[in-house]
Amino acid sequence: MSSNNQKPFADDRNFIDLFTDFLGNTEGESKEDIKVELKKQGIDVEYIINNVKKLINTKIDERKRQWMIDAKKIRNKMREQIESFKEDIPEDISTIKEKIKQLMTHSEYSDQALAFFRNYNEMTDTELKQLYKDFLKLLSLQKNNFSGNEKP
Amino acid sequence: MRNPDKLFAVLRAKEIIKKLHIEEPKHIIIEDIAAVRGVFIKEEPMSGADGRLATLGDHGIITIRENIDIAAKKRFVIAHELGHFELHRGEIFNIRCTDKDFFSWYKGNPLEIEANYFAAELLMPEDIFKRRVLGKEVSKELIESLAYEFNTSLTATSIRFVTLRPEYALVCSESSWIKWFVVDYDHFPYYINTSGKVHNESLAYDYYHGLDLPKHLFPVQTYAWLENRYPIKATLKELAIPIGRKYNQVLSFLLVEET
């Protein structure tokens, strides 16, 4: 049985030497015999196996959740870039409409520039301006080669 | 107009769930998922819409109406717009979602239906959700606990429940009037009354008339919900869940047990 009171080895080197010596003399012995022999020499195999399993599981979990840590960084990076973007927006709404149309149909992004509205009723002039601003911010992300979306 | 490709939408969401090793509801942090997909989320005053997605190249900005007061609804709006980002880039531009699209599950604009299926799978992944509903009879407590755990609205949770347990049908009524329904006729092969006022033999009717509702499925007359086209030798059960006085809506789960 594993024990939390297991005496620690004086140092790792000592453990490796002991273990290597031991493995050199185990020919013909069963797994159980080896475990008993190791136990006599102060090595609790079950304890070691459990700890290694725990360590592996912790590392696997950490790796699985790494994207959440990355996500926080990406969000901050995007926020910085988007909030630092400043550009004067035309006041005239027909100009804005024309610019959005141009962006969607004539720019190098024409096949990628999209806008979707959830539960759309009618867009106000302010919302059209906001949409245009969003496109300009996205253009700035693209032009600055923002590489925040390291898709896992 | 093409037919909605629901399977494609669901598979796209499943792919993301797998890549991000999402195994529990607590891992579904929608803002983080959007970020690693290249989408930034912000809130702004909006009067014409609940949410908006602008996308250019590999990036997108989702704007949600800042005065949406229910967190679960915000999450659904984000997941829906993320669905457009993942599914519809390059397909068509300048789509406007209408009021009806929120309940577009079996008919309506195919892009909206796909975005809804994507959102439902992302927020309530089939594998995780199914483990919690298989073999269980629907009850108010079950739906509320699922909604709490997945941080989704009672409505979205109920719709998800019936899409994974298609032997149930779901009818939503508002102020006594039938508003929408979700039914898979392959598994629920009965015609439901889907228009007009709720029948006075239904539990939904009881709610609108101030009566207490059972918290579990309760037998009602088959003609309370099913069309009387042919004789049905079956027991119809209903679970009615009110979804807030503000909306004055009732979700009615229907289950037919043939005798």
Side-chain angles (χ1 to χ4, degrees), chain A residues 61 63-65 67-72 74-75 78-79 82-83 100 103-105 107 109-124 126-128 130-131 133-135 137-142 145-152, chain B residues 19-23 26-27 29 31-33 35-40 42 44-61 63 76-77 80-81 84-85 88-90 92-99 101-102 111-112 116:
Chain A
D61 272 352
R63 208 169 157 188
K64 281 181 175 177
R65 308 292 157 241
W67 71 270
M68 291 182 183
I69 297 163
D70 295 343
K72 306 279 185 282
I74 294 169
R75 280 165 74 175
M78 280 179 120
R79 185 183 307 279
I82 281 172
E83 286 178 356
I100 291 174
L103 191 70
M104 288 180 155
T105 53
S107 78
Y109 300 109
S110 62
D111 58 340
Q112 300 168 330
L114 307 168
F116 296 85
F117 299 85
R118 176 154 188 82
N119 288 4
Y120 169 83
N121 290 319
E122 59 178 37
M123 275 194 86
T124 61
T126 310
E127 282 159 11
L128 269 176
Q130 286 169 341
L131 175 65
K133 270 187 203 171
D134 285 352
F135 276 127
K137 286 170 185 171
L138 285 166
L139 266 175
S140 114
L141 287 179
Q142 290 288 116
N145 287 324
F146 179 80
S147 56
N149 61 333
E150 292 131 7
K151 295 183 181 179
Chain B
K19 276 184 184 168
L20 298 179
H21 305 284
I22 289 170
E23 292 159 349
K26 67 180 176 187
H27 300 150
I29 305 163
E31 294 84 356
D32 284 354
I33 296 173
V36 294
R37 306 303 299 168
V39 177
F40 183 72
K42 61 186 172 68
E44 271 176 13
M46 292 174 87
S47 57
D50 280 344
R52 177 180 75 227
L53 165 74
T55 165
L56 200 68
D58 291 335
H59 296 97
I61 295 177
T63 309
F76 196 88
V77 173
H80 174 98
E81 298 300 349
H84 284 309
F85 179 80
H88 304 134
R89 267 181 296 165
I92 194 168
F93 65 83
N94 205 8
I95 296 297
R96 293 168 171 186
C97 305
T98 68
D99 265 346
D101 295 327
F102 187 74
L111 301 185
E112 300 310 318
N116 280 340

